[in-house]
């Protein structure tokens, strides 16, 4: 058994929140740069070059890339030989968020009750997805997820007969509806299969794949290529100002599903595609 | 290329703006998002005075991050304009002429923009750190108790926006899709 103290976790999470919000991952910056070289519309190009400057400003000044510093979403991989001491894992993650958001001057964007809508002022509670894995490590991935991308996301229970064509149509429709509101160029996470609850989750996990890496499964890799092309053909362009780059990447994940169903989920991520992980 | 404009704008300048114009704004913007809109709306409906002069201001839909030491403001990009749509036609009727946000407006808002010769501009979503740097001063003007949702007067310099809806009914998002969508091109 390897012991990890809750304080170590809290401190790591605090730093994770601050850095993830200010520093765009290198892969996202690289994708924006590539988009800049591909983009054919002048206004689109100017928008992309401003977004690249925004990434520099965030990293140098430690200022959040976007004022929406998001819902604090965690993907935790807990090695089964790890024992957490000094408190619960959930409490450690939560207090890390509370401290990180306060000390990093990040915006508190969570209401405690969806109908009463009073801000909790701490950006907590957070959303935690746990996985128990082999080994004696604890991996914590933090994804601050903005409202614009989440509001543009959707789940639909298709009929098996709708097949690939139906799935594609639903993805494209969702992207068209999202348009400028989701701050393109976007990253599109697609989940196909699973159950009503797991399908959106694999769509969200799809966002975390190294940007632009194709699915290992040839069928899904082809689907990704075709979807990316069709999405870029919509002409929405950077910030909705028109152009040839609407999405930086499309990632599709799939799962076994019931003989009667074909769930498809689309999780949209904005140009501020930021997340960061740490292994303890 | 980009037109450089100072605020307040002359009436003729504002009514001369056209969908697709890229501008750099310098002068004062007034922030207002969901909660401030509701307050303004409620006060006006009750026939009370409101703390800003709708005729002369540009409303900017934003909810900035808390101000860190050494800067006038934190990150301050645009929020989705559609959430203000239910209040906007009424504010336009009462004199509002210019707004900045992101994303498309409802048909009612577009009609009212045309009717009153107003203008809706978009700032770039995800550009909060950069746009925060364009802000040179920040002062709370009203509804302090709303925190980040209060009305602030932001002094800005070279703040980039694009005109989306103009007073003649021009709609840049729509025009853009017609021009850039591949399907559109085949049809033509
Ligand atoms: S969708 Fe993303 S870039 Fe746009 S405002 Fe929200 S967090 Fe920021």
């Amino acid at each position: 058994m390897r012991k990890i103290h809750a304080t170590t976790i809290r401190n790591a999470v605090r730093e994770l929140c601050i850095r993830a919000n200010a520093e765009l991952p290198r892969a996202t910056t690289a994708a924006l740069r590539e988009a800049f070289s591909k983009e054919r519309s002048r206004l689109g190009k100017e928008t992309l070059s401003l977004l690249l400057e925004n990434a520099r400003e965030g990293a140098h000044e430690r200022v959040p890339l976007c004022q929406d510093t998001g819902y604090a979403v965690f993907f935790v991989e807990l090695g089964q030989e790890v024992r957490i001491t000094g408190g619960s894992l959930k409490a450690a993650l939560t207090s890390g968020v509370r401290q990180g958001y306060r000390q990093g001057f990040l915006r508190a964007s969570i209401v405690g009750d969806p109908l009463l809508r009073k801000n909790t002022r701490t950006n907590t509670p957070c959303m935690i997805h746990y996985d128990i894995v082999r080994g004696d490590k604890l991996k914590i991935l933090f994804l601050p997820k903005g409202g614009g991308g989440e509001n543009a996301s959707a789940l639909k229970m298709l009929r098996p007969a709708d097949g690939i064509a139906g799935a594609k149509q639903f993805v494209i429709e969702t992207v068209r509806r999202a348009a400028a509101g989701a701050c393109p160029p976007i990253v599109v996470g697609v989940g196909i299969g699973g159950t009503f609850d797991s399908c959106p989750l694999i769509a969200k996990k799809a966002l975390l794949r190294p940007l632009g890496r194709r699915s290992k499964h040839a069928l899904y890799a082809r689907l990704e290529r075709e979807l990316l092309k069709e999405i870029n053909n919509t002409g929405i362009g950077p910030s909705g100002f028109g152009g040839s780059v609407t999405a930086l990447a499309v990632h599709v994940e799939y799962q076994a599903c019931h003989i009667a169903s074909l769930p498809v989920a689309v999780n949209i991520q904005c140009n501020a595609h930021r997340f960061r992980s740490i292994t303890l | 290329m980009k037109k450089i404009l100072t605020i307040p704008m002359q009436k003729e300048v504002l009514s001369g703006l056209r969908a697709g114009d890229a501008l750099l704004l310098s002068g004062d913007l007034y922030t207002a998002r969901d909660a401030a809109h509701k307050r303004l709306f409620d006060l006006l409906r009750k026939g009370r005075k409101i703390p800003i002069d709708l005729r002369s201001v540009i409303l900017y839909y934003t909810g900035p991050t808390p101000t860190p030491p050494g800067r006038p403001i934190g990150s301050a990009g645009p929020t989705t304009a559609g959430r203000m749509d239910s209040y906007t036609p009424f504010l336009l009727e009462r004199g509002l002429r210019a707004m900045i946000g992101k994303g498309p407006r409802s048909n009612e808002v577009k009609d009212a923009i045309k009717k009153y010769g107003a203008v809706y501009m978009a700032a770039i979503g995800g550009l909060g750190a950069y746009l925060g740097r364009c802000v040179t001063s920040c002062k709370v003007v009203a509804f302090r108790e709303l925190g980040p949702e209060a009305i602030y007067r932001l002094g800005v310099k070279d703040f980039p926006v694009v005109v989306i809806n103009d007073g003649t009914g021009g709609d840049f998002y729509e025009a853009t899709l017609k021009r850039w969508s591949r399907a559109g091109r085949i049809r033509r």
Side-chain angles (χ1 to χ4, degrees):
Chain A
M1 270 299 177
R2 179 169 164 251
K3 287 182 187 167
I4 302 179
H5 201 274
T7 314
T8 312
I9 299 170
R10 184 200 66 200
N11 293 348
V13 167
R14 180 175 61 206
E15 194 55 25
L16 213 49
C17 292
I18 298 173
R19 286 191 68 184
N21 269 299
E23 297 174 28
L24 206 59
R26 220 171 285 147
T28 310
T29 318
L32 286 173
R33 222 174 276 130
E34 196 193 321
F36 175 82
S37 66
K38 275 197 215 147
E39 180 54 64
R40 293 199 312 274
S41 107
R42 201 183 58 203
L43 210 44
K45 248 181 151 48
E46 280 175 22
T47 300
L48 290 163
S49 96
L50 283 172
L51 289 172
L52 284 163
E53 201 164 330
N54 191 65
R56 281 192 288 275
E57 175 78 6
H60 287 161
E61 300 285 316
R62 286 202 120 197
V63 172
L65 294 157
C66 183
Q67 75 289 342
D68 185 350
T69 48
Y71 207 126
V73 179
F74 287 99
F75 287 91
V76 174
E77 287 174 20
L78 177 65
Q80 52 195 8
E81 279 142 55
V82 174
R83 220 187 100 206
I84 315 267
T85 57
S88 80
L89 177 54
K90 186 177 174 188
L93 295 171
T94 307
S95 67
V97 169
R98 205 179 292 129
Q99 291 189 357
Y101 273 67
R102 195 179 58 233
Q103 292 172 18
F105 298 93
L106 306 178
R107 199 182 77 186
S109 313
I110 302 301
V111 293
D113 179 306
L115 295 179
L116 299 177
R117 307 207 69 80
K118 192 167 163 355
N119 197 310
T120 63
R121 302 203 172 260
T122 55
N123 214 53
T124 62
C126 32
M127 188 59 66
I128 312 170
H129 303 289
Y130 299 98
D131 247 328
I132 311 289
V133 300
R134 281 167 180 275
D136 63 354
K137 299 261 187 298
L138 169 64
K139 184 178 170 200
I140 301 169
L141 186 144
F142 170 66
L143 168 75
K145 194 73 175 70
E150 290 294 274
N151 286 345
S153 300
L155 166 71
K156 193 170 182 183
M157 307 303 282
L158 301 185
R159 290 166 307 179
D162 295 331
I164 295 184
K168 269 170 103 171
Q169 198 191 334
F170 175 58
V171 176
I172 302 294
E173 262 169 30
T174 306
V175 169
R176 272 189 208 280
R177 208 172 330 109
C183 302
I186 54 176
V187 179
V188 184
V190 180
I192 303 184
T195 51
F196 182 74
D197 49 321
S198 77
C199 187
L201 189 58
I202 60 171
K204 182 157 264 130
K205 279 190 178 162
L207 295 174
L208 306 172
R209 196 196 292 168
L211 210 50
R213 182 185 293 170
R214 290 268 167 267
S215 169
K216 288 197 196 86
H217 190 308
L219 175 68
Y220 292 90
R222 200 177 91 205
L223 184 58
E224 289 170 353
R225 259 195 317 274
E226 290 171 357
L227 279 171
L228 181 60
K229 189 159 170 230
E230 276 193 47
I231 288 169
N232 286 334
N233 280 348
T234 59
I236 294 166
S239 211
F241 298 157
S244 37
V245 183
T246 299
L248 300 174
V250 179
H251 298 162
V252 182
E253 294 291 337
Y254 64 96
Q255 227 173 25
C257 70
H258 192 278
I259 47 174
S261 15
L262 175 55
V264 178
V266 185
N267 196 195
I268 306 239
Q269 172 70 312
C270 50
N271 67 63
H273 180 41
R274 65 232 131 126
F275 57 92
R276 215 178 171 87
S277 66
I278 190 165
T279 303
L280 297 174
Chain B
M1 278 295 271
K2 284 201 162 115
K3 274 194 225 168
I4 296 174
L5 288 182
T6 48
I7 318 165
M9 286 181 210
Q10 302 282 336
K11 257 208 187 97
E12 309 75 66
V13 173
L14 193 138
S15 57
L17 293 176
R18 288 296 170 268
D21 286 354
L23 317 173
L24 290 175
L25 303 178
S26 294
D28 289 341
L29 305 179
Y30 288 74
T31 71
R33 50 176 289 154
D34 312 51
H37 270 76
K38 184 165 183 347
R39 292 275 183 104
L40 292 174
F41 183 79
D42 289 345
L43 285 171
L44 286 168
R45 285 287 285 267
K46 285 185 203 141
R48 301 255 195 84
K49 259 185 73 108
I50 58 166
I52 53 172
D53 174 18
L54 284 180
R55 265 162 222 290
S56 67
V57 302
I58 298 183
L59 285 189
Y60 177 30
Y61 308 146
T62 184
T65 55
T67 306
R71 283 175 75 103
I73 200 167
S75 191
T79 193
T80 301
R83 291 200 317 274
M84 317 313 151
D85 280 354
S86 48
Y87 303 113
T88 301
F90 180 74
L91 295 181
L92 287 166
E93 187 197 315
R94 297 303 178 96
L96 177 66
R97 291 296 173 264
M99 304 150 275
I100 302 172
K102 67 159 172 140
R105 309 306 304 256
S106 67
N107 287 334
E108 293 74 48
V109 171
K110 289 186 211 170
D111 290 346
I113 286 173
K114 188 171 171 194
K115 179 168 173 196
Y116 297 109
V119 60
Y120 165 59
M121 299 166 272
I124 296 167
L127 197 64
Y130 179 96
L131 293 175
R133 199 179 65 190
C134 298
V135 174
T136 53
S137 67
C138 170
K139 204 170 169 298
V140 64
V141 174
F143 314 142
R144 181 186 292 275
E145 62 286 2
L146 295 178
E149 294 215 40
I151 297 184
Y152 293 88
R153 182 171 62 234
L154 305 183
V156 300
K157 196 173 178 310
D158 294 335
F159 187 96
V161 295
V162 173
V163 177
I164 303 297
N165 297 104
D166 65 35
T168 65
D171 184 335
F172 186 56
Y173 286 141
E174 269 177 25
T176 240
L177 284 183
K178 280 205 194 97
R179 164 142 187 239
W180 286 98
S181 94
R182 274 292 182 80
R185 212 169 288 162
I186 295 161
R187 253 183 274 131
R188 252 190 299 167

